[in-house]
Amino acid sequence: MDALTVKIHKWDVFYFPANTPIDNRGKIGNFDELEDRLLAGHPRMRRILVQLSPNWPLGLYYLHWGNGSDLSELDFRVAAGVAREADFEGAVVGEAKGTSCFECHTRMRIIGLEPGLALFSNDLERIRAHEYRQHCPVCGKRWTSNALEFIDTKYWDAPS
């Protein structure tokens, strides 16, 4: 595993810079190799592994920024060992999950907000301020899902 370790608030997190592959070897509970390949170079996300409990497998989560942060600079700071919680300003935690549109019933995979993982000291403030994908990428209807991104690359720059 070529992850970098960073401390965020009270968590030790394995951080993967852009395009760094994750070697699963069965140790990650919610890992999907195809999705990982698609999302490894995403311009608004970085992948992290977190162990929520000592007896649980590592969990794959995504840090998502909607504010245009320079993630290559963050990759550099994490690699240099100088990143702090403030360097992750604007990020929220997401997880890959399935959902469907209530209007057109299209089933899709998204990175959805994961409010259960309180990674940052100001999570509620971040969650309230974050911009979400507010429209189905297929039919364009407004929805209430807390979608951060659509996993299918053809929707990465779809209007929210």
Side-chain angles (χ1 to χ4, degrees):
M1 184 179 338
D2 291 329
L4 303 169
T5 303
V6 64
K7 182 107 172 160
I8 302 175
H9 191 45
K10 63 181 180 178
W11 298 92
D12 289 319
V13 173
F14 296 110
Y15 176 95
F16 291 85
N19 299 310
T20 302
I22 296 176
D23 182 8
N24 181 19
R25 297 186 192 187
K27 297 176 184 166
I28 305 167
N30 56 347
F31 182 82
D32 181 283
E33 187 174 353
L34 179 59
E35 285 180 354
D36 186 62
R37 282 193 221 155
L38 285 173
L39 299 173
H42 197 286
R44 292 178 294 278
M45 290 193 300
R46 289 297 182 263
R47 298 156 303 139
I48 59 171
L49 298 177
V50 180
Q51 188 155 23
L52 299 176
S53 177
N55 297 328
W56 293 3
L58 289 168
L60 175 61
Y61 298 94
Y62 300 86
L63 296 177
H64 182 270
W65 286 263
N67 62 4
S69 292
D70 182 357
L71 300 186
S72 59
E73 176 64 24
L74 176 63
D75 291 346
F76 176 79
R77 291 185 57 77
V78 172
V82 297
R84 302 292 176 257
E85 185 174 349
D87 293 308
F88 296 89
E89 189 62 37
V92 296
V93 179
E95 185 175 14
K97 51 185 83 176
T99 191
S100 59
C101 176
F102 289 128
E103 293 291 328
C104 70
H105 307 289
T106 300
R107 296 181 48 78
M108 61 192 87
R109 294 283 291 167
I110 65 168
I111 301 299
L113 178 68
E114 180 47 63
L117 176 54
L119 189 62
F120 302 102
S121 59
N122 61 347
D123 273 318
L124 288 178
E125 179 183 313
R126 289 169 183 252
I127 289 169
R128 288 183 186 127
H130 204 78
E131 291 186 28
Y132 300 91
R133 299 296 187 147
Q134 299 176 359
H135 296 89
C136 172
V138 177
C139 71
K141 297 289 185 181
R142 188 168 174 82
W143 65 358
T144 58
S145 173
N146 286 330
L148 300 170
E149 293 290 341
F150 302 102
I151 290 178
D152 189 332
T153 57
K154 68 184 172 188
Y155 301 129
W156 280 7
D157 293 318
S160 48

